[in-house]
Amino acid sequence: MRTRAPGASTPMTLAVDGTEHTVDVDTRTTLLDALRERLGVTSVKKGCDHGQCGACTVLLDGRRHLTCLSLAVAHDGAEVTTASGLGEDDELHPVQQAFLDHDGYQCGYCTPGQVCSAVGALDELKEGHPSHVTEELEGEAEPTEEELRERMSGNLCRCGAYAGILAAVRQAAGEQEVAS
């Protein structure tokens, strides 16, 4: 088995918001830093750099993921969707529209991570993945206020726009149910 020295550069490929990129990264580079510094994807925010605030949340191969906690090289060939890549044909994703409808942002710094986390959380609900507060572990969990709060609890908002964020996620949950 061939090993690389710490700090060695290695080529990797990421599909970001539908566009494939090949880039050389230091083997110690986080996915967050690869996205922001190497690929110029600034919709992913650097908040705490410790996995505690959720500002760096993206959808990685369809699942929500904190990019500050993983090495980029571990995700060679992965598909990354940021908040910028959610809409289609110049239309906003239902979660993005709901954030606008309910003022689910103030300064906007946490918004991309909040939006990606909401999309991922709603997909988890739809797929029947339980959370800490899910009462029935079989079947699809209901998008109750308590359930949505629990699923979004890993994303912090420094401005305190939680009422608007929760209202936005509830609206998007209702639209997702209708669209199913």
Side-chain angles (χ1 to χ4, degrees):
M1 181 166 104
R2 187 174 148 212
T3 60
R4 295 186 189 274
S9 183
T10 187
M12 66 171 295
T13 302
L14 289 171
V16 182
D17 296 333
T19 302
E20 191 169 291
H21 302 273
T22 300
V23 63
D24 284 330
V25 295
D26 181 306
T27 56
R28 301 169 292 182
T29 302
T30 63
L31 182 56
L32 171 62
D33 288 338
L35 290 168
R36 288 186 60 80
E37 295 172 15
R38 301 292 293 142
L39 297 176
V41 179
T42 57
S43 66
V44 182
K45 303 301 183 197
K46 184 177 267 198
C48 66
D49 226 8
H50 296 286
Q52 297 173 346
C53 73
C56 68
T57 305
V58 299
L59 299 174
L60 181 67
D61 293 328
R63 302 285 310 240
R64 58 187 172 151
H65 190 82
L66 299 173
T67 58
C68 73
L69 291 180
S70 60
L71 295 175
V73 294
H75 303 291
D76 187 17
E79 182 178 325
V80 177
T81 304
T82 70
S84 297
L86 288 171
E88 292 183 22
D89 301 325
D90 294 329
E91 287 192 32
L92 294 175
H93 185 279
V95 171
Q96 293 170 315
Q97 185 61 54
F99 266 71
L100 288 174
D101 294 347
H102 294 280
D103 294 327
Y105 55 87
Q106 283 185 22
C107 78
Y109 194 84
C110 72
T111 305
Q114 296 274 4
V115 167
C116 284
S117 190
V119 170
L122 293 175
D123 285 347
E124 291 165 12
L125 267 169
K126 188 175 181 180
E127 293 170 7
H129 298 277
S131 77
H132 178 69
V133 299
T134 305
E135 291 185 25
E136 285 295 321
L137 299 181
E138 299 293 324
E140 192 173 320
E142 293 295 317
T144 64
E145 186 170 319
E146 182 182 29
E147 189 73 48
L148 296 175
R149 284 181 188 274
E150 171 64 24
R151 290 175 188 268
M152 294 297 294
S153 66
N155 290 79
L156 304 179
C157 174
R158 295 174 183 144
C159 301
Y162 294 112
I165 291 167
L166 180 61
V169 178
R170 290 185 77 178
Q171 174 181 314
E175 289 180 14
Q176 187 179 49
E177 289 174 0
V178 171
S180 297

